[in-house]
Amino acid sequence: MNFISSLLSNLNYGTILFLMLLESTVVPVPSEFVVTPAAYHAAGGHLDVFLVILFATIGADLGASINYVVAYYVGRPVIYRFANSKWGKMCLLNQEKVEKSEKYFDDHGIVATLTGRLIPGIRHLISIPAGLAKMNYWKFLLYTTIGAGVWHGILASLGWYLHTIVPEDQLNDKITEYAEYIKLVIVGLVVIAIGYFVIRHLLKRKNK
């Protein structure tokens, strides 16, 4: 964790990509403390905010693809065994969390790979049930990219805004404070996305 802390204190495009890769596997790296501070620094002229979002999203795609490929080829028993192992617990993982992500995927279908990227506790695991279900990889990657891009856009917008109101030594406290507002925005976006896909599906059925 000291290694991750050192990366968090030296954010650049490479460390942003790498940390978001880790966050999208099973390593507990909070994206709000990566993308938001990076955008904060971008507002100060040290980085480009659009490149922050781009590299964060590429990292998320790479990490999610690792989860997808592992789940696709090793199957549920091995995934559960790892989740219940000492290494799984070190990554704050357990079988219940994996089952929760599977249930979300089962309830919402392939659109879950998009909306799931916006939900804490589901976001970094939703690629596992996609792999277990052997979802088409390119469709999985498209939805993952959209979902991750929206999420990182929200975090980057917060970081840009916080640059106008708080000094850097208060940044992490403000990110924690604004977390509840972020959750409300996420819930709204997820409801809209699910509603869109449900209506689209119903219209397709009606036109058949």
Side-chain angles (χ1 to χ4, degrees):
M1 289 303 171
N2 288 335
F3 171 64
I4 291 176
S5 297
S6 68
L7 292 179
L8 288 170
S9 62
N10 294 281
L11 289 173
N12 55 54
Y13 302 126
T15 55
I16 292 166
L17 185 150
F18 181 65
L19 287 167
M20 289 301 89
L21 183 155
L22 293 181
E23 193 252 0
S24 287
T25 54
V26 293
V27 181
V29 179
S31 52
E32 56 268 35
F33 290 103
V34 177
V35 179
T36 307
Y40 183 96
H41 294 311
H46 303 293
L47 295 168
D48 183 292
V49 70
F50 296 107
L51 289 179
V52 167
I53 296 170
L54 175 63
F55 279 92
T57 302
I58 292 172
D61 283 346
L62 292 173
S65 294
I66 291 171
N67 275 4
Y68 172 93
V69 170
V70 170
Y72 189 103
Y73 287 105
V74 306
R76 189 173 284 103
V78 177
I79 295 291
Y80 283 0
R81 199 176 307 134
F82 173 77
N84 292 322
S85 70
K86 178 179 70 174
W87 294 104
K89 289 180 173 57
M90 286 177 63
C91 294
L92 305 180
L93 194 62
N94 57 48
Q95 184 172 327
E96 182 182 352
K97 289 182 179 180
V98 178
E99 288 175 342
K100 182 180 178 182
S101 67
E102 284 193 85
K103 184 178 186 307
Y104 185 85
F105 185 87
D106 291 340
D107 289 345
H108 299 94
I110 59 174
V111 70
T113 56
L114 191 161
T115 58
R117 295 296 312 183
L118 302 172
I119 301 176
I122 295 290
R123 181 168 58 250
H124 66 300
L125 297 177
I126 196 62
S127 48
I128 292 176
L132 291 174
K134 301 193 183 308
M135 176 183 176
N136 177 275
Y137 174 73
W138 297 110
K139 189 173 287 187
F140 160 79
L141 185 61
L142 173 63
Y143 285 179
T144 297
T145 301
I146 295 171
V150 169
W151 171 241
H152 296 145
I154 292 171
L155 295 181
S157 298
L158 175 62
W160 192 275
Y161 167 69
L162 289 177
H163 186 268
T164 65
I165 63 170
V166 297
E168 189 170 356
D169 60 354
Q170 297 177 20
L171 179 59
N172 286 346
D173 291 337
K174 278 294 180 182
I175 292 172
T176 302
E177 180 184 329
Y178 275 78
E180 291 303 316
Y181 298 107
I182 294 174
K183 287 178 184 177
L184 290 175
V185 172
I186 288 170
V187 169
L189 288 172
V190 169
V191 169
I192 291 169
I194 292 175
Y196 167 77
F197 282 99
V198 168
I199 292 170
R200 184 181 172 188
H201 176 70
L202 291 174
L203 288 174
K204 277 186 177 180
R205 289 184 60 183
K206 184 178 179 181
N207 293 330
K208 283 183 179 179

Short mmCIF file of all heavy atoms in Angstrom, two decimals, residues 84-131:
data_model
loop_
_atom_site.label_atom_id
_atom_site.label_comp_id
_atom_site.label_asym_id
_atom_site.label_seq_id
_atom_site.Cartn_x
_atom_site.Cartn_y
_atom_site.Cartn_z
N ASN A 84 -12.24 -16.06 -1.65
CA ASN A 84 -12.26 -16.51 -0.25
C ASN A 84 -10.87 -16.76 0.32
O ASN A 84 -10.74 -17.12 1.50
CB ASN A 84 -13.09 -17.79 -0.13
CG ASN A 84 -14.57 -17.53 -0.39
OD1 ASN A 84 -15.11 -16.51 0.01
ND2 ASN A 84 -15.23 -18.47 -1.06
N SER A 85 -9.83 -16.56 -0.48
CA SER A 85 -8.47 -16.83 -0.04
C SER A 85 -7.90 -15.64 0.74
O SER A 85 -8.49 -14.56 0.80
CB SER A 85 -7.57 -17.11 -1.25
OG SER A 85 -7.37 -15.92 -2.01
N LYS A 86 -6.72 -15.86 1.29
CA LYS A 86 -6.03 -14.78 2.02
C LYS A 86 -5.74 -13.61 1.08
O LYS A 86 -5.89 -12.45 1.47
CB LYS A 86 -4.72 -15.33 2.60
CG LYS A 86 -3.88 -14.29 3.33
CD LYS A 86 -2.62 -14.90 3.89
CE LYS A 86 -1.66 -15.26 2.77
NZ LYS A 86 -0.34 -15.74 3.30
N TRP A 87 -5.35 -13.92 -0.17
CA TRP A 87 -5.04 -12.86 -1.12
C TRP A 87 -6.30 -12.08 -1.50
O TRP A 87 -6.26 -10.86 -1.66
CB TRP A 87 -4.39 -13.46 -2.38
CG TRP A 87 -3.05 -14.06 -2.10
CD1 TRP A 87 -2.75 -15.40 -1.99
CD2 TRP A 87 -1.83 -13.36 -1.83
NE1 TRP A 87 -1.42 -15.57 -1.70
CE2 TRP A 87 -0.83 -14.34 -1.59
CE3 TRP A 87 -1.47 -12.02 -1.79
CZ2 TRP A 87 0.49 -14.00 -1.32
CZ3 TRP A 87 -0.17 -11.68 -1.51
CH2 TRP A 87 0.80 -12.66 -1.28
N GLY A 88 -7.40 -12.80 -1.62
CA GLY A 88 -8.66 -12.13 -1.91
C GLY A 88 -9.06 -11.18 -0.81
O GLY A 88 -9.51 -10.06 -1.07
N LYS A 89 -8.89 -11.63 0.43
CA LYS A 89 -9.24 -10.77 1.58
C LYS A 89 -8.32 -9.55 1.65
O LYS A 89 -8.76 -8.46 2.04
CB LYS A 89 -9.17 -11.58 2.87
CG LYS A 89 -10.30 -12.59 3.00
CD LYS A 89 -10.21 -13.38 4.30
CE LYS A 89 -11.44 -14.26 4.50
NZ LYS A 89 -11.67 -15.19 3.39
N MET A 90 -7.06 -9.71 1.25
CA MET A 90 -6.14 -8.56 1.23
C MET A 90 -6.61 -7.52 0.21
O MET A 90 -6.35 -6.32 0.38
CB MET A 90 -4.72 -9.04 0.88
CG MET A 90 -4.02 -9.76 2.01
SD MET A 90 -2.39 -10.36 1.51
CE MET A 90 -1.55 -8.83 1.14
N CYS A 91 -7.30 -7.98 -0.81
CA CYS A 91 -7.86 -7.07 -1.83
C CYS A 91 -9.28 -6.63 -1.48
O CYS A 91 -9.98 -6.07 -2.33
CB CYS A 91 -7.86 -7.76 -3.19
SG CYS A 91 -6.22 -8.12 -3.84
N LEU A 92 -9.68 -6.86 -0.22
CA LEU A 92 -11.03 -6.51 0.27
C LEU A 92 -12.11 -7.22 -0.56
O LEU A 92 -13.18 -6.66 -0.82
CB LEU A 92 -11.24 -4.99 0.23
CG LEU A 92 -10.21 -4.14 0.98
CD1 LEU A 92 -10.54 -2.67 0.87
CD2 LEU A 92 -10.08 -4.56 2.44
N LEU A 93 -11.82 -8.45 -0.95
CA LEU A 93 -12.71 -9.22 -1.80
C LEU A 93 -13.25 -10.42 -1.02
O LEU A 93 -12.59 -10.94 -0.12
CB LEU A 93 -11.93 -9.72 -3.02
CG LEU A 93 -12.70 -10.27 -4.21
CD1 LEU A 93 -13.61 -9.20 -4.81
CD2 LEU A 93 -11.72 -10.78 -5.27
N ASN A 94 -14.45 -10.83 -1.34
CA ASN A 94 -15.01 -12.07 -0.80
C ASN A 94 -16.06 -12.60 -1.77
O ASN A 94 -16.45 -11.91 -2.71
CB ASN A 94 -15.59 -11.86 0.61
CG ASN A 94 -16.65 -10.78 0.65
OD1 ASN A 94 -17.57 -10.76 -0.18
ND2 ASN A 94 -16.52 -9.84 1.60
N GLN A 95 -16.52 -13.82 -1.51
CA GLN A 95 -17.47 -14.45 -2.42
C GLN A 95 -18.78 -13.67 -2.49
O GLN A 95 -19.40 -13.56 -3.55
CB GLN A 95 -17.75 -15.89 -1.97
CG GLN A 95 -18.65 -16.65 -2.92
CD GLN A 95 -18.75 -18.13 -2.56
OE1 GLN A 95 -17.80 -18.70 -2.07
NE2 GLN A 95 -19.91 -18.73 -2.81
N GLU A 96 -19.19 -13.09 -1.37
CA GLU A 96 -20.44 -12.33 -1.35
C GLU A 96 -20.40 -11.16 -2.32
O GLU A 96 -21.38 -10.88 -3.02
CB GLU A 96 -20.72 -11.82 0.07
CG GLU A 96 -22.03 -11.07 0.21
CD GLU A 96 -22.25 -10.53 1.61
OE1 GLU A 96 -21.47 -10.85 2.51
OE2 GLU A 96 -23.21 -9.76 1.80
N LYS A 97 -19.26 -10.47 -2.40
CA LYS A 97 -19.14 -9.33 -3.31
C LYS A 97 -19.19 -9.80 -4.77
O LYS A 97 -19.81 -9.13 -5.62
CB LYS A 97 -17.83 -8.58 -3.04
CG LYS A 97 -17.83 -7.80 -1.74
CD LYS A 97 -16.53 -7.05 -1.56
CE LYS A 97 -16.54 -6.23 -0.26
NZ LYS A 97 -15.27 -5.50 -0.06
N VAL A 98 -18.54 -10.93 -5.06
CA VAL A 98 -18.59 -11.46 -6.42
C VAL A 98 -20.01 -11.87 -6.78
O VAL A 98 -20.50 -11.58 -7.88
CB VAL A 98 -17.63 -12.65 -6.57
CG1 VAL A 98 -17.73 -13.23 -7.99
CG2 VAL A 98 -16.19 -12.24 -6.28
N GLU A 99 -20.70 -12.52 -5.83
CA GLU A 99 -22.08 -12.94 -6.08
C GLU A 99 -23.00 -11.73 -6.28
O GLU A 99 -23.92 -11.76 -7.09
CB GLU A 99 -22.59 -13.79 -4.91
CG GLU A 99 -21.95 -15.17 -4.87
CD GLU A 99 -22.36 -15.97 -3.64
OE1 GLU A 99 -22.85 -15.35 -2.66
OE2 GLU A 99 -22.19 -17.20 -3.65
N LYS A 100 -22.72 -10.65 -5.55
CA LYS A 100 -23.51 -9.43 -5.70
C LYS A 100 -23.35 -8.85 -7.11
O LYS A 100 -24.33 -8.42 -7.74
CB LYS A 100 -23.07 -8.39 -4.66
CG LYS A 100 -23.86 -7.10 -4.68
CD LYS A 100 -23.35 -6.14 -3.61
CE LYS A 100 -24.10 -4.82 -3.65
NZ LYS A 100 -23.59 -3.86 -2.63
N SER A 101 -22.12 -8.87 -7.61
CA SER A 101 -21.89 -8.36 -8.97
C SER A 101 -22.54 -9.27 -10.00
O SER A 101 -23.06 -8.80 -11.01
CB SER A 101 -20.39 -8.23 -9.24
OG SER A 101 -19.75 -9.49 -9.29
N GLU A 102 -22.52 -10.59 -9.75
CA GLU A 102 -23.18 -11.53 -10.66
C GLU A 102 -24.69 -11.29 -10.69
O GLU A 102 -25.31 -11.33 -11.76
CB GLU A 102 -22.90 -12.97 -10.23
CG GLU A 102 -21.50 -13.45 -10.57
CD GLU A 102 -21.38 -14.95 -10.42
OE1 GLU A 102 -21.71 -15.66 -11.38
OE2 GLU A 102 -20.97 -15.40 -9.34
N LYS A 103 -25.27 -11.06 -9.53
CA LYS A 103 -26.72 -10.81 -9.45
C LYS A 103 -27.07 -9.55 -10.22
O LYS A 103 -28.07 -9.50 -10.95
CB LYS A 103 -27.19 -10.70 -8.00
CG LYS A 103 -28.71 -10.54 -7.86
CD LYS A 103 -29.13 -10.48 -6.41
CE LYS A 103 -30.66 -10.48 -6.30
NZ LYS A 103 -31.31 -9.43 -7.10
N TYR A 104 -26.25 -8.51 -10.06
CA TYR A 104 -26.51 -7.26 -10.78
C TYR A 104 -26.45 -7.50 -12.29
O TYR A 104 -27.28 -7.00 -13.04
CB TYR A 104 -25.49 -6.19 -10.37
CG TYR A 104 -25.77 -4.83 -10.98
CD1 TYR A 104 -26.65 -3.96 -10.37
CD2 TYR A 104 -25.16 -4.45 -12.18
CE1 TYR A 104 -26.94 -2.72 -10.94
CE2 TYR A 104 -25.43 -3.22 -12.75
CZ TYR A 104 -26.32 -2.36 -12.12
OH TYR A 104 -26.59 -1.15 -12.70
N PHE A 105 -25.46 -8.29 -12.72
CA PHE A 105 -25.33 -8.60 -14.14
C PHE A 105 -26.53 -9.40 -14.63
O PHE A 105 -27.09 -9.14 -15.69
CB PHE A 105 -24.04 -9.39 -14.38
CG PHE A 105 -23.75 -9.66 -15.83
CD1 PHE A 105 -23.04 -8.74 -16.59
CD2 PHE A 105 -24.18 -10.83 -16.43
CE1 PHE A 105 -22.78 -8.99 -17.94
CE2 PHE A 105 -23.92 -11.08 -17.77
CZ PHE A 105 -23.21 -10.16 -18.52
N ASP A 106 -26.95 -10.39 -13.83
CA ASP A 106 -28.09 -11.22 -14.22
C ASP A 106 -29.38 -10.41 -14.29
O ASP A 106 -30.22 -10.62 -15.17
CB ASP A 106 -28.27 -12.37 -13.21
CG ASP A 106 -27.15 -13.40 -13.30
OD1 ASP A 106 -26.47 -13.43 -14.34
OD2 ASP A 106 -26.94 -14.14 -12.33
N ASP A 107 -29.53 -9.46 -13.36
CA ASP A 107 -30.76 -8.66 -13.31
C ASP A 107 -30.85 -7.65 -14.46
O ASP A 107 -31.95 -7.32 -14.91
CB ASP A 107 -30.85 -7.90 -11.97
CG ASP A 107 -31.14 -8.83 -10.80
OD1 ASP A 107 -31.54 -9.98 -11.04
OD2 ASP A 107 -30.95 -8.39 -9.65
N HIS A 108 -29.71 -7.15 -14.91
CA HIS A 108 -29.72 -6.05 -15.88
C HIS A 108 -29.15 -6.43 -17.24
O HIS A 108 -29.13 -5.59 -18.15
CB HIS A 108 -28.96 -4.85 -15.32
CG HIS A 108 -29.57 -4.30 -14.07
ND1 HIS A 108 -29.16 -4.68 -12.81
CD2 HIS A 108 -30.58 -3.42 -13.87
CE1 HIS A 108 -29.87 -4.04 -11.90
NE2 HIS A 108 -30.74 -3.28 -12.51
N GLY A 109 -28.67 -7.66 -17.38
CA GLY A 109 -28.16 -8.09 -18.67
C GLY A 109 -26.88 -7.39 -19.05
O GLY A 109 -26.17 -6.83 -18.20
N ILE A 110 -26.58 -7.36 -20.35
CA ILE A 110 -25.29 -6.82 -20.79
C ILE A 110 -25.15 -5.33 -20.51
O ILE A 110 -24.04 -4.82 -20.41
CB ILE A 110 -25.06 -7.11 -22.29
CG1 ILE A 110 -26.18 -6.49 -23.14
CG2 ILE A 110 -24.96 -8.60 -22.54
CD1 ILE A 110 -25.92 -6.63 -24.63
N VAL A 111 -26.28 -4.62 -20.35
CA VAL A 111 -26.20 -3.19 -20.03
C VAL A 111 -25.56 -2.98 -18.66
O VAL A 111 -25.09 -1.88 -18.35
CB VAL A 111 -27.60 -2.55 -20.08
CG1 VAL A 111 -28.47 -3.03 -18.93
CG2 VAL A 111 -27.50 -1.02 -20.05
N ALA A 112 -25.51 -4.04 -17.85
CA ALA A 112 -24.89 -3.95 -16.52
C ALA A 112 -23.42 -3.58 -16.62
O ALA A 112 -22.87 -2.95 -15.71
CB ALA A 112 -25.04 -5.28 -15.77
N THR A 113 -22.76 -3.93 -17.73
CA THR A 113 -21.36 -3.58 -17.88
C THR A 113 -21.17 -2.07 -18.05
O THR A 113 -20.10 -1.55 -17.79
CB THR A 113 -20.71 -4.31 -19.08
OG1 THR A 113 -21.45 -4.02 -20.26
CG2 THR A 113 -20.70 -5.81 -18.83
N LEU A 114 -22.24 -1.38 -18.48
CA LEU A 114 -22.20 0.08 -18.59
C LEU A 114 -22.60 0.72 -17.26
O LEU A 114 -21.83 1.48 -16.67
CB LEU A 114 -23.12 0.54 -19.71
CG LEU A 114 -23.03 2.01 -20.14
CD1 LEU A 114 -23.64 2.18 -21.53
CD2 LEU A 114 -23.73 2.96 -19.18
N THR A 115 -23.78 0.39 -16.79
CA THR A 115 -24.29 1.01 -15.56
C THR A 115 -23.50 0.57 -14.33
O THR A 115 -23.33 1.34 -13.39
CB THR A 115 -25.78 0.69 -15.36
OG1 THR A 115 -25.95 -0.74 -15.29
CG2 THR A 115 -26.61 1.24 -16.50
N GLY A 116 -23.00 -0.68 -14.36
CA GLY A 116 -22.25 -1.18 -13.22
C GLY A 116 -20.97 -0.43 -12.97
O GLY A 116 -20.48 -0.37 -11.84
N ARG A 117 -20.41 0.20 -14.02
CA ARG A 117 -19.18 0.98 -13.86
C ARG A 117 -19.41 2.22 -13.01
O ARG A 117 -18.44 2.86 -12.58
CB ARG A 117 -18.66 1.43 -15.23
CG ARG A 117 -18.20 0.34 -16.15
CD ARG A 117 -17.01 -0.43 -15.65
NE ARG A 117 -15.93 0.40 -15.19
CZ ARG A 117 -14.76 -0.08 -14.77
NH1 ARG A 117 -14.53 -1.38 -14.76
NH2 ARG A 117 -13.81 0.71 -14.36
N LEU A 118 -20.66 2.57 -12.75
CA LEU A 118 -20.97 3.78 -11.98
C LEU A 118 -21.30 3.49 -10.53
O LEU A 118 -21.53 4.42 -9.76
CB LEU A 118 -22.16 4.50 -12.63
CG LEU A 118 -21.98 4.92 -14.09
CD1 LEU A 118 -23.30 5.44 -14.65
CD2 LEU A 118 -20.89 5.96 -14.23
N ILE A 119 -21.34 2.21 -10.16
CA ILE A 119 -21.84 1.84 -8.83
C ILE A 119 -20.71 1.36 -7.93
O ILE A 119 -20.05 0.36 -8.25
CB ILE A 119 -22.92 0.75 -8.93
CG1 ILE A 119 -24.08 1.25 -9.79
CG2 ILE A 119 -23.43 0.34 -7.54
CD1 ILE A 119 -25.15 0.21 -10.03
N PRO A 120 -20.46 2.04 -6.81
CA PRO A 120 -19.42 1.60 -5.87
C PRO A 120 -19.71 0.18 -5.38
O PRO A 120 -20.85 -0.19 -5.12
CB PRO A 120 -19.54 2.61 -4.71
CG PRO A 120 -20.17 3.81 -5.33
CD PRO A 120 -21.11 3.30 -6.38
N GLY A 121 -18.65 -0.63 -5.27
CA GLY A 121 -18.81 -2.00 -4.82
C GLY A 121 -19.09 -2.97 -5.95
O GLY A 121 -18.88 -4.17 -5.83
N ILE A 122 -19.60 -2.43 -7.07
CA ILE A 122 -19.89 -3.24 -8.26
C ILE A 122 -18.90 -2.91 -9.36
O ILE A 122 -18.48 -3.77 -10.13
CB ILE A 122 -21.33 -2.97 -8.77
CG1 ILE A 122 -22.37 -3.42 -7.75
CG2 ILE A 122 -21.57 -3.65 -10.12
CD1 ILE A 122 -22.47 -4.92 -7.60
N ARG A 123 -18.49 -1.63 -9.39
CA ARG A 123 -17.73 -1.07 -10.51
C ARG A 123 -16.53 -1.93 -10.91
O ARG A 123 -16.34 -2.23 -12.09
CB ARG A 123 -17.27 0.34 -10.13
CG ARG A 123 -16.49 1.05 -11.20
CD ARG A 123 -16.32 2.52 -10.88
NE ARG A 123 -15.64 2.75 -9.63
CZ ARG A 123 -16.24 3.25 -8.54
NH1 ARG A 123 -17.51 3.55 -8.57
NH2 ARG A 123 -15.58 3.44 -7.43
N HIS A 124 -15.69 -2.31 -9.96
CA HIS A 124 -14.46 -3.01 -10.32
C HIS A 124 -14.65 -4.51 -10.49
O HIS A 124 -13.72 -5.21 -10.92
CB HIS A 124 -13.37 -2.73 -9.27
CG HIS A 124 -13.66 -3.30 -7.92
ND1 HIS A 124 -14.77 -2.94 -7.19
CD2 HIS A 124 -12.99 -4.21 -7.17
CE1 HIS A 124 -14.76 -3.60 -6.05
NE2 HIS A 124 -13.71 -4.38 -6.02
N LEU A 125 -15.86 -5.01 -10.18
CA LEU A 125 -16.10 -6.46 -10.28
C LEU A 125 -17.04 -6.85 -11.41
O LEU A 125 -17.17 -8.03 -11.72
CB LEU A 125 -16.68 -6.98 -8.95
CG LEU A 125 -15.78 -6.85 -7.71
CD1 LEU A 125 -16.52 -7.34 -6.48
CD2 LEU A 125 -14.47 -7.62 -7.91
N ILE A 126 -17.71 -5.88 -12.04
CA ILE A 126 -18.76 -6.20 -13.01
C ILE A 126 -18.20 -6.94 -14.23
O ILE A 126 -18.92 -7.66 -14.92
CB ILE A 126 -19.50 -4.92 -13.45
CG1 ILE A 126 -20.82 -5.27 -14.15
CG2 ILE A 126 -18.62 -4.04 -14.31
CD1 ILE A 126 -21.81 -5.99 -13.29
N SER A 127 -16.89 -6.79 -14.48
CA SER A 127 -16.28 -7.50 -15.61
C SER A 127 -16.18 -9.00 -15.36
O SER A 127 -16.07 -9.78 -16.31
CB SER A 127 -14.90 -6.92 -15.91
OG SER A 127 -14.13 -6.80 -14.72
N ILE A 128 -16.21 -9.42 -14.09
CA ILE A 128 -16.11 -10.85 -13.78
C ILE A 128 -17.34 -11.61 -14.27
O ILE A 128 -17.20 -12.59 -15.01
CB ILE A 128 -15.85 -11.07 -12.28
CG1 ILE A 128 -14.45 -10.55 -11.92
CG2 ILE A 128 -15.99 -12.55 -11.91
CD1 ILE A 128 -14.12 -10.62 -10.45
N PRO A 129 -18.57 -11.20 -13.90
CA PRO A 129 -19.73 -11.92 -14.45
C PRO A 129 -19.86 -11.81 -15.95
O PRO A 129 -20.38 -12.72 -16.60
CB PRO A 129 -20.93 -11.27 -13.73
CG PRO A 129 -20.43 -9.99 -13.19
CD PRO A 129 -18.98 -10.20 -12.89
N ALA A 130 -19.36 -10.72 -16.53
CA ALA A 130 -19.38 -10.60 -18.00
C ALA A 130 -18.50 -11.69 -18.62
O ALA A 130 -18.87 -12.30 -19.62
CB ALA A 130 -18.89 -9.21 -18.43
N GLY A 131 -17.35 -11.93 -18.00
CA GLY A 131 -16.47 -12.99 -18.48
C GLY A 131 -17.06 -14.36 -18.24
O GLY A 131 -16.98 -15.25 -19.10
#
